[in-house]
Every structure is written in structure tokens, then in C-alpha cells.
Amino acid sequence: MTEIFDAIVVGGGPSGATAANDLALAGRRVLLLDRAGRIKPCGGAVPPRLLKDFDVPLEQLCARATSARMVAPSNKAVDMPVGDGFVGLVDREVFDEFLRARATSNGATRIDGTFEALERDAEGTAVIAYRPKGAPRGSEPIRVRGKVVIGCDGGNSAVARAALPANEKVPFVSAYHEVIESPPEGFRGFEGGRCDIYYQGHLSPDFYAWIFPHGDKTSVGVGSAVKGFAMRDAVARLREQTGLDAFKTIRVEGAPIPLKPRKRWDNGKDVVVAGDAAGVVAPASGEGIYYAMTAGRLAAEAAGTFLTTGDPAALKLARKRFMKLHGQVFMVLGMMQWFWYRSDNMRERFVKLCQDPDIQQLTWEAYMNKELVRKRPMAHVRIFLKDTGQLLGAVFSGRKREGAASGSM
């Protein structure tokens, strides 16, 4: 008879490590199965609220950004100072391992290995087949049983493919970044306390490129959903235009990043997904760490309720609670991405909007607090009017161009 755990968590990124840690603290017998050595391409930005909500020590931050610079297609740059707060920056190689080690120290059993299949024993209990780290492909997998399985194995989740409806297509962008040695302070305008975001079609036709400092390292990356877009070439162009091609590349990483929560997170029986596997990366911004950890915690809570009551309906609570907390923000950000990122003309207008003090303040308040800000209603009214003016300006300028073109035929 194969060994049985209360919960098997597949994937040891921020979401999976959080789920495993919370369940272990609750006294559950937990297996954390992680494909060791995989690091997700990520700018590494985390809000201060994450440190508080998930008891993460300040020492895990490799840098603190106090401003962001938005760069338009025309190379016009708009600085957005954070104000009294900051954007924390983590190195995923270090941060993810901290979370995994913490889960282990609190009682989770950790195994480095690769998920291969979701099976069932004679009683219908979930069986996870995995290949241990170092074992050759094709070798006989090891099997363990779990009363509940939590899939936190990324945007291309094998657990989701095995357990959830196959007809749901989750939109995603492909992300690629190069971690390089940080240039000296002031090198061609480089600032270790500033995140630079490039809204330029030649770097990404539908998303953005970034330069995020991580202390002695810097992440230079790009995302795009356009099939066949050469992201390595785009990063090379960004490094060349900023002078960062002169600095040593430490490592490179790529992965799909989902941009819409799945409609279904559970199989109605004993499997629930979280993190990128559930699609909880914010549209427009691409922010994922805080949302992944939140989803991991909610999945752990739902799994704990299921283990106590035996009612599979409890697993639906993970998505229901997440969407109640963040669904409106995801909807607004999705609309922003669809509208502002579709052409260089619109990206230019978007960066221009970022000059507005009301937009800057509400952006940072919403980012750091992770909720829509309601305490300054008149600011929202002003922002709505400004957004509407920009939208109408784009529509009418487009019609004028079309009229001019037809008049010249």
C-alpha cells in the first residue's frame, strides 16, 4: 500500500509553499512535491502588504524601489514616486527557497521531483506518480496517495490538465527575462531604487518590457502573447538601448504567465489548483506573487475544510473567496490591458495619463493595499473624466486619420 498524506501540494513556488506551510501549521500531514531548480521569470515586485499578511521578514527583500519610470514609444519617460511607501523586490531563487524551507520546518515533507500523473487506487483515492530528482526519464515513478491534491505547478499546470475540464483555454503571455549583474548607480540613468517599465511596440507588441533592480542583480525582461514574437531578441534590444548589454548575464528563464483566473479551480472531488495554475496573475501589470500566495492560502483553507467535513463542495470556496477579494481589480486591469496596450499610439496616451497626480496616488494606494481605493471618491471622478477624454481623443484622431486616407484615394 502506498503512503498516504492528508494533502499533496504539487509545485513549490510562492503559492504551493504557502499552501503547504498553512496546512502543516494546522497539523495536517502534508507532502510538498517540487521540481527543484526551476525559477520562474519574474520582476520580483511585492507589495508591503505581502510582508505583513504572510509573515515575510524584511531581510527577504533584496531591494526597495521608491519609484517607477514609465517609458513611452517616443521615449518620453514619466516618473511615478511611491511616496511614503515602497515596492519590495525579491530574488525568486532565494525567496521561493525561503518559503519552501519554512514549510518544511513547520512540518511539511518535502520531496524534489517531477509530477508525472494523477491516478486513482481501488478506493478512488488520488494517487500522485512522480519521478524523483535525478531519476532517468522512463524510470518507474514513485506513487503516494493524498486525501486532497493542490496543484500549484505553474501556468502550464499538469495537475490542471489531469483533473480539470479540458475545454477551458486560459489566455496567457509568454515571459522571458535575463538576470544580469547590476550596473553601477547612475550608469546611463540607472537607479537601484527605481523600476523601469517600457511600453514600446518594438519591445512588446501587446504587453511591456521591464528593468527591475534586485540589489547586485537586475531583471531585464519582456512579455507578449503574440505567437512567434522573438522575446530573446527584444530583451537584447532593450539591453542594447540602455547599455545593459555590457553587463554579465547570470541566468535566463522563460515561462507562460496566465492573465485570467480559471472559471473552475476544483474537480468537484479532491483536487484544487492555485497560483499560476489557477490563472491568478494580474492583467496589465503582470503582478503575480501576492496573488499566488493569497490563492495558495485560500486553497489551503478550502482543503482544510474539505478534510474536516468530507464535503467536496468546500473546495469551491478557494475561487469564490479569491474572486470576492480581487475579481473586480482583475476585471478593471483586463480592460486596461485590452484598451491601452494595443498600439503605440495608445501606449503613448497611457504613459501620458501616468503623469496625473491623482492616478499616481491611487495607483500606489491600490497596489500597496491590494484593494480598490474608496476613501477619495472625487479623485476617482476626475480620473474617470481624464480617461474618457483620452479615449475620445483616440477615437476622434483615429477617425480623422481614416477620413484623410479615404479623401486621398
Side-chain angles (χ1 to χ4, degrees), residues 59-86:
E59 291 74 22
Q60 280 300 309
L61 301 182
C62 56
R64 300 189 200 188
T66 55
S67 70
R69 174 168 289 179
M70 325 294 271
V71 184
S74 65
N75 284 323
K76 176 182 174 59
V78 172
D79 286 340
M80 297 179 63
V82 177
D84 296 332
F86 65 89

PDB file of all heavy atoms in Angstrom, residues 59-86:
ATOM      1  N   GLU A  59      14.283  40.991   5.621  1.00  0.00           N
ATOM      2  CA  GLU A  59      15.564  40.515   5.098  1.00  0.00           C
ATOM      3  C   GLU A  59      15.411  39.767   3.776  1.00  0.00           C
ATOM      4  O   GLU A  59      16.395  39.572   3.058  1.00  0.00           O
ATOM      5  CB  GLU A  59      16.242  39.594   6.124  1.00  0.00           C
ATOM      6  CG  GLU A  59      16.729  40.285   7.383  1.00  0.00           C
ATOM      7  CD  GLU A  59      15.593  40.678   8.329  1.00  0.00           C
ATOM      8  OE1 GLU A  59      14.496  40.057   8.231  1.00  0.00           O
ATOM      9  OE2 GLU A  59      15.797  41.590   9.151  1.00  0.00           O
ATOM     10  N   GLN A  60      14.189  39.351   3.445  1.00  0.00           N
ATOM     11  CA  GLN A  60      13.975  38.665   2.175  1.00  0.00           C
ATOM     12  C   GLN A  60      13.977  39.623   0.990  1.00  0.00           C
ATOM     13  O   GLN A  60      14.062  39.189  -0.150  1.00  0.00           O
ATOM     14  CB  GLN A  60      12.662  37.888   2.207  1.00  0.00           C
ATOM     15  CG  GLN A  60      12.769  36.551   2.937  1.00  0.00           C
ATOM     16  CD  GLN A  60      13.781  35.633   2.295  1.00  0.00           C
ATOM     17  OE1 GLN A  60      13.753  35.395   1.096  1.00  0.00           O
ATOM     18  NE2 GLN A  60      14.695  35.102   3.098  1.00  0.00           N
ATOM     19  N   LEU A  61      13.878  40.923   1.259  1.00  0.00           N
ATOM     20  CA  LEU A  61      13.926  41.900   0.174  1.00  0.00           C
ATOM     21  C   LEU A  61      15.371  42.142  -0.225  1.00  0.00           C
ATOM     22  O   LEU A  61      16.219  42.432   0.616  1.00  0.00           O
ATOM     23  CB  LEU A  61      13.282  43.224   0.607  1.00  0.00           C
ATOM     24  CG  LEU A  61      11.813  43.165   1.046  1.00  0.00           C
ATOM     25  CD1 LEU A  61      11.324  44.569   1.385  1.00  0.00           C
ATOM     26  CD2 LEU A  61      10.948  42.540  -0.033  1.00  0.00           C
ATOM     27  N   CYS A  62      15.636  42.034  -1.515  1.00  0.00           N
ATOM     28  CA  CYS A  62      16.989  42.333  -1.994  1.00  0.00           C
ATOM     29  C   CYS A  62      17.102  43.794  -2.412  1.00  0.00           C
ATOM     30  O   CYS A  62      18.206  44.287  -2.663  1.00  0.00           O
ATOM     31  CB  CYS A  62      17.375  41.399  -3.140  1.00  0.00           C
ATOM     32  SG  CYS A  62      16.238  41.396  -4.538  1.00  0.00           S
ATOM     33  N   ALA A  63      15.965  44.479  -2.502  1.00  0.00           N
ATOM     34  CA  ALA A  63      15.969  45.912  -2.831  1.00  0.00           C
ATOM     35  C   ALA A  63      14.587  46.477  -2.522  1.00  0.00           C
ATOM     36  O   ALA A  63      13.608  45.736  -2.384  1.00  0.00           O
ATOM     37  CB  ALA A  63      16.315  46.135  -4.309  1.00  0.00           C
ATOM     38  N   ARG A  64      14.531  47.798  -2.404  1.00  0.00           N
ATOM     39  CA  ARG A  64      13.255  48.501  -2.243  1.00  0.00           C
ATOM     40  C   ARG A  64      13.201  49.606  -3.286  1.00  0.00           C
ATOM     41  O   ARG A  64      14.088  50.463  -3.331  1.00  0.00           O
ATOM     42  CB  ARG A  64      13.135  49.125  -0.848  1.00  0.00           C
ATOM     43  CG  ARG A  64      13.195  48.146   0.299  1.00  0.00           C
ATOM     44  CD  ARG A  64      12.852  48.852   1.598  1.00  0.00           C
ATOM     45  NE  ARG A  64      13.323  48.119   2.745  1.00  0.00           N
ATOM     46  CZ  ARG A  64      13.035  48.434   4.002  1.00  0.00           C
ATOM     47  NH1 ARG A  64      12.298  49.514   4.249  1.00  0.00           N
ATOM     48  NH2 ARG A  64      13.507  47.723   5.002  1.00  0.00           N
ATOM     49  N   ALA A  65      12.187  49.568  -4.109  1.00  0.00           N
ATOM     50  CA  ALA A  65      12.002  50.617  -5.117  1.00  0.00           C
ATOM     51  C   ALA A  65      11.091  51.693  -4.550  1.00  0.00           C
ATOM     52  O   ALA A  65      10.063  51.393  -3.939  1.00  0.00           O
ATOM     53  CB  ALA A  65      11.403  50.033  -6.388  1.00  0.00           C
ATOM     54  N   THR A  66      11.479  52.929  -4.759  1.00  0.00           N
ATOM     55  CA  THR A  66      10.672  54.055  -4.281  1.00  0.00           C
ATOM     56  C   THR A  66      10.044  54.838  -5.433  1.00  0.00           C
ATOM     57  O   THR A  66       9.390  55.848  -5.210  1.00  0.00           O
ATOM     58  CB  THR A  66      11.530  55.002  -3.422  1.00  0.00           C
ATOM     59  OG1 THR A  66      12.685  55.409  -4.169  1.00  0.00           O
ATOM     60  CG2 THR A  66      11.981  54.301  -2.140  1.00  0.00           C
ATOM     61  N   SER A  67      10.244  54.355  -6.652  1.00  0.00           N
ATOM     62  CA  SER A  67       9.591  54.987  -7.797  1.00  0.00           C
ATOM     63  C   SER A  67       9.564  54.017  -8.969  1.00  0.00           C
ATOM     64  O   SER A  67      10.290  53.016  -8.988  1.00  0.00           O
ATOM     65  CB  SER A  67      10.302  56.278  -8.217  1.00  0.00           C
ATOM     66  OG  SER A  67      11.562  55.990  -8.788  1.00  0.00           O
ATOM     67  N   ALA A  68       8.707  54.316  -9.922  1.00  0.00           N
ATOM     68  CA  ALA A  68       8.664  53.576 -11.176  1.00  0.00           C
ATOM     69  C   ALA A  68       8.780  54.582 -12.312  1.00  0.00           C
ATOM     70  O   ALA A  68       8.311  55.716 -12.202  1.00  0.00           O
ATOM     71  CB  ALA A  68       7.366  52.786 -11.298  1.00  0.00           C
ATOM     72  N   ARG A  69       9.419  54.188 -13.387  1.00  0.00           N
ATOM     73  CA  ARG A  69       9.537  55.036 -14.572  1.00  0.00           C
ATOM     74  C   ARG A  69       8.829  54.349 -15.729  1.00  0.00           C
ATOM     75  O   ARG A  69       9.154  53.225 -16.103  1.00  0.00           O
ATOM     76  CB  ARG A  69      10.994  55.313 -14.928  1.00  0.00           C
ATOM     77  CG  ARG A  69      11.172  56.066 -16.238  1.00  0.00           C
ATOM     78  CD  ARG A  69      12.599  56.577 -16.402  1.00  0.00           C
ATOM     79  NE  ARG A  69      12.847  57.678 -15.479  1.00  0.00           N
ATOM     80  CZ  ARG A  69      14.016  58.323 -15.375  1.00  0.00           C
ATOM     81  NH1 ARG A  69      15.036  57.951 -16.126  1.00  0.00           N
ATOM     82  NH2 ARG A  69      14.152  59.313 -14.520  1.00  0.00           N
ATOM     83  N   MET A  70       7.836  55.037 -16.285  1.00  0.00           N
ATOM     84  CA  MET A  70       7.086  54.524 -17.425  1.00  0.00           C
ATOM     85  C   MET A  70       7.666  55.164 -18.684  1.00  0.00           C
ATOM     86  O   MET A  70       7.721  56.395 -18.788  1.00  0.00           O
ATOM     87  CB  MET A  70       5.604  54.863 -17.298  1.00  0.00           C
ATOM     88  CG  MET A  70       5.073  54.841 -15.864  1.00  0.00           C
ATOM     89  SD  MET A  70       5.078  53.212 -15.139  1.00  0.00           S
ATOM     90  CE  MET A  70       3.461  52.658 -15.658  1.00  0.00           C
ATOM     91  N   VAL A  71       8.078  54.348 -19.640  1.00  0.00           N
ATOM     92  CA  VAL A  71       8.727  54.846 -20.847  1.00  0.00           C
ATOM     93  C   VAL A  71       7.828  54.595 -22.049  1.00  0.00           C
ATOM     94  O   VAL A  71       7.467  53.448 -22.351  1.00  0.00           O
ATOM     95  CB  VAL A  71      10.102  54.196 -21.052  1.00  0.00           C
ATOM     96  CG1 VAL A  71      10.808  54.814 -22.259  1.00  0.00           C
ATOM     97  CG2 VAL A  71      10.965  54.346 -19.802  1.00  0.00           C
ATOM     98  N   ALA A  72       7.454  55.676 -22.739  1.00  0.00           N
ATOM     99  CA  ALA A  72       6.531  55.617 -23.871  1.00  0.00           C
ATOM    100  C   ALA A  72       7.258  55.249 -25.160  1.00  0.00           C
ATOM    101  O   ALA A  72       8.501  55.263 -25.216  1.00  0.00           O
ATOM    102  CB  ALA A  72       5.843  56.972 -24.023  1.00  0.00           C
ATOM    103  N   PRO A  73       6.522  54.942 -26.222  1.00  0.00           N
ATOM    104  CA  PRO A  73       7.148  54.651 -27.516  1.00  0.00           C
ATOM    105  C   PRO A  73       8.054  55.781 -28.004  1.00  0.00           C
ATOM    106  O   PRO A  73       9.049  55.524 -28.700  1.00  0.00           O
ATOM    107  CB  PRO A  73       5.954  54.459 -28.447  1.00  0.00           C
ATOM    108  CG  PRO A  73       4.870  53.968 -27.560  1.00  0.00           C
ATOM    109  CD  PRO A  73       5.063  54.698 -26.266  1.00  0.00           C
ATOM    110  N   SER A  74       7.715  57.026 -27.674  1.00  0.00           N
ATOM    111  CA  SER A  74       8.534  58.173 -28.077  1.00  0.00           C
ATOM    112  C   SER A  74       9.772  58.340 -27.215  1.00  0.00           C
ATOM    113  O   SER A  74      10.550  59.271 -27.426  1.00  0.00           O
ATOM    114  CB  SER A  74       7.691  59.450 -27.985  1.00  0.00           C
ATOM    115  OG  SER A  74       7.328  59.700 -26.632  1.00  0.00           O
ATOM    116  N   ASN A  75       9.944  57.456 -26.221  1.00  0.00           N
ATOM    117  CA  ASN A  75      10.993  57.520 -25.199  1.00  0.00           C
ATOM    118  C   ASN A  75      10.732  58.590 -24.147  1.00  0.00           C
ATOM    119  O   ASN A  75      11.581  58.828 -23.285  1.00  0.00           O
ATOM    120  CB  ASN A  75      12.388  57.722 -25.815  1.00  0.00           C
ATOM    121  CG  ASN A  75      12.924  56.449 -26.437  1.00  0.00           C
ATOM    122  OD1 ASN A  75      12.702  55.347 -25.916  1.00  0.00           O
ATOM    123  ND2 ASN A  75      13.595  56.576 -27.582  1.00  0.00           N
ATOM    124  N   LYS A  76       9.572  59.221 -24.200  1.00  0.00           N
ATOM    125  CA  LYS A  76       9.180  60.115 -23.120  1.00  0.00           C
ATOM    126  C   LYS A  76       9.037  59.281 -21.851  1.00  0.00           C
ATOM    127  O   LYS A  76       8.383  58.238 -21.855  1.00  0.00           O
ATOM    128  CB  LYS A  76       7.862  60.811 -23.436  1.00  0.00           C
ATOM    129  CG  LYS A  76       7.335  61.685 -22.302  1.00  0.00           C
ATOM    130  CD  LYS A  76       5.999  62.308 -22.667  1.00  0.00           C
ATOM    131  CE  LYS A  76       5.392  63.072 -21.492  1.00  0.00           C
ATOM    132  NZ  LYS A  76       6.266  64.153 -21.003  1.00  0.00           N
ATOM    133  N   ALA A  77       9.646  59.729 -20.761  1.00  0.00           N
ATOM    134  CA  ALA A  77       9.624  58.985 -19.503  1.00  0.00           C
ATOM    135  C   ALA A  77       8.827  59.747 -18.455  1.00  0.00           C
ATOM    136  O   ALA A  77       8.966  60.964 -18.312  1.00  0.00           O
ATOM    137  CB  ALA A  77      11.043  58.738 -19.009  1.00  0.00           C
ATOM    138  N   VAL A  78       7.980  59.031 -17.746  1.00  0.00           N
ATOM    139  CA  VAL A  78       7.192  59.605 -16.661  1.00  0.00           C
ATOM    140  C   VAL A  78       7.569  58.890 -15.371  1.00  0.00           C
ATOM    141  O   VAL A  78       7.446  57.667 -15.276  1.00  0.00           O
ATOM    142  CB  VAL A  78       5.683  59.453 -16.922  1.00  0.00           C
ATOM    143  CG1 VAL A  78       4.881  59.876 -15.699  1.00  0.00           C
ATOM    144  CG2 VAL A  78       5.270  60.269 -18.135  1.00  0.00           C
ATOM    145  N   ASP A  79       8.052  59.641 -14.395  1.00  0.00           N
ATOM    146  CA  ASP A  79       8.399  59.069 -13.099  1.00  0.00           C
ATOM    147  C   ASP A  79       7.189  59.080 -12.172  1.00  0.00           C
ATOM    148  O   ASP A  79       6.457  60.077 -12.102  1.00  0.00           O
ATOM    149  CB  ASP A  79       9.547  59.839 -12.457  1.00  0.00           C
ATOM    150  CG  ASP A  79      10.879  59.552 -13.128  1.00  0.00           C
ATOM    151  OD1 ASP A  79      10.984  58.508 -13.798  1.00  0.00           O
ATOM    152  OD2 ASP A  79      11.809  60.357 -12.981  1.00  0.00           O
ATOM    153  N   MET A  80       6.991  57.964 -11.479  1.00  0.00           N
ATOM    154  CA  MET A  80       5.884  57.833 -10.535  1.00  0.00           C
ATOM    155  C   MET A  80       6.451  57.516  -9.149  1.00  0.00           C
ATOM    156  O   MET A  80       6.681  56.345  -8.821  1.00  0.00           O
ATOM    157  CB  MET A  80       4.915  56.731 -10.978  1.00  0.00           C
ATOM    158  CG  MET A  80       4.238  57.005 -12.313  1.00  0.00           C
ATOM    159  SD  MET A  80       3.114  55.662 -12.828  1.00  0.00           S
ATOM    160  CE  MET A  80       1.877  55.695 -11.520  1.00  0.00           C
ATOM    161  N   PRO A  81       6.734  58.541  -8.338  1.00  0.00           N
ATOM    162  CA  PRO A  81       7.254  58.276  -6.993  1.00  0.00           C
ATOM    163  C   PRO A  81       6.226  57.574  -6.124  1.00  0.00           C
ATOM    164  O   PRO A  81       5.032  57.875  -6.181  1.00  0.00           O
ATOM    165  CB  PRO A  81       7.581  59.679  -6.460  1.00  0.00           C
ATOM    166  CG  PRO A  81       6.724  60.601  -7.260  1.00  0.00           C
ATOM    167  CD  PRO A  81       6.578  59.984  -8.610  1.00  0.00           C
ATOM    168  N   VAL A  82       6.688  56.621  -5.319  1.00  0.00           N
ATOM    169  CA  VAL A  82       5.777  55.849  -4.482  1.00  0.00           C
ATOM    170  C   VAL A  82       5.227  56.690  -3.337  1.00  0.00           C
ATOM    171  O   VAL A  82       4.123  56.472  -2.872  1.00  0.00           O
ATOM    172  CB  VAL A  82       6.491  54.602  -3.927  1.00  0.00           C
ATOM    173  CG1 VAL A  82       5.590  53.824  -2.987  1.00  0.00           C
ATOM    174  CG2 VAL A  82       6.942  53.700  -5.077  1.00  0.00           C
ATOM    175  N   GLY A  83       5.973  57.664  -2.884  1.00  0.00           N
ATOM    176  CA  GLY A  83       5.528  58.463  -1.745  1.00  0.00           C
ATOM    177  C   GLY A  83       6.111  57.908  -0.465  1.00  0.00           C
ATOM    178  O   GLY A  83       7.317  57.681  -0.363  1.00  0.00           O
ATOM    179  N   ASP A  84       5.246  57.661   0.537  1.00  0.00           N
ATOM    180  CA  ASP A  84       5.743  57.176   1.826  1.00  0.00           C
ATOM    181  C   ASP A  84       6.025  55.682   1.829  1.00  0.00           C
ATOM    182  O   ASP A  84       6.638  55.173   2.769  1.00  0.00           O
ATOM    183  CB  ASP A  84       4.712  57.492   2.932  1.00  0.00           C
ATOM    184  CG  ASP A  84       4.522  58.984   3.139  1.00  0.00           C
ATOM    185  OD1 ASP A  84       5.483  59.734   2.874  1.00  0.00           O
ATOM    186  OD2 ASP A  84       3.417  59.388   3.552  1.00  0.00           O
ATOM    187  N   GLY A  85       5.565  54.963   0.831  1.00  0.00           N
ATOM    188  CA  GLY A  85       5.740  53.521   0.819  1.00  0.00           C
ATOM    189  C   GLY A  85       6.920  53.083  -0.032  1.00  0.00           C
ATOM    190  O   GLY A  85       7.823  53.853  -0.352  1.00  0.00           O
ATOM    191  N   PHE A  86       6.894  51.821  -0.437  1.00  0.00           N
ATOM    192  CA  PHE A  86       7.941  51.271  -1.288  1.00  0.00           C
ATOM    193  C   PHE A  86       7.402  50.021  -1.970  1.00  0.00           C
ATOM    194  O   PHE A  86       6.395  49.447  -1.559  1.00  0.00           O
ATOM    195  CB  PHE A  86       9.196  50.920  -0.477  1.00  0.00           C
ATOM    196  CG  PHE A  86       8.989  49.818   0.539  1.00  0.00           C
ATOM    197  CD1 PHE A  86       9.166  48.482   0.197  1.00  0.00           C
ATOM    198  CD2 PHE A  86       8.596  50.125   1.832  1.00  0.00           C
ATOM    199  CE1 PHE A  86       8.958  47.475   1.128  1.00  0.00           C
ATOM    200  CE2 PHE A  86       8.393  49.117   2.777  1.00  0.00           C
ATOM    201  CZ  PHE A  86       8.575  47.796   2.422  1.00  0.00           C
TER     202      PHE A  86
END
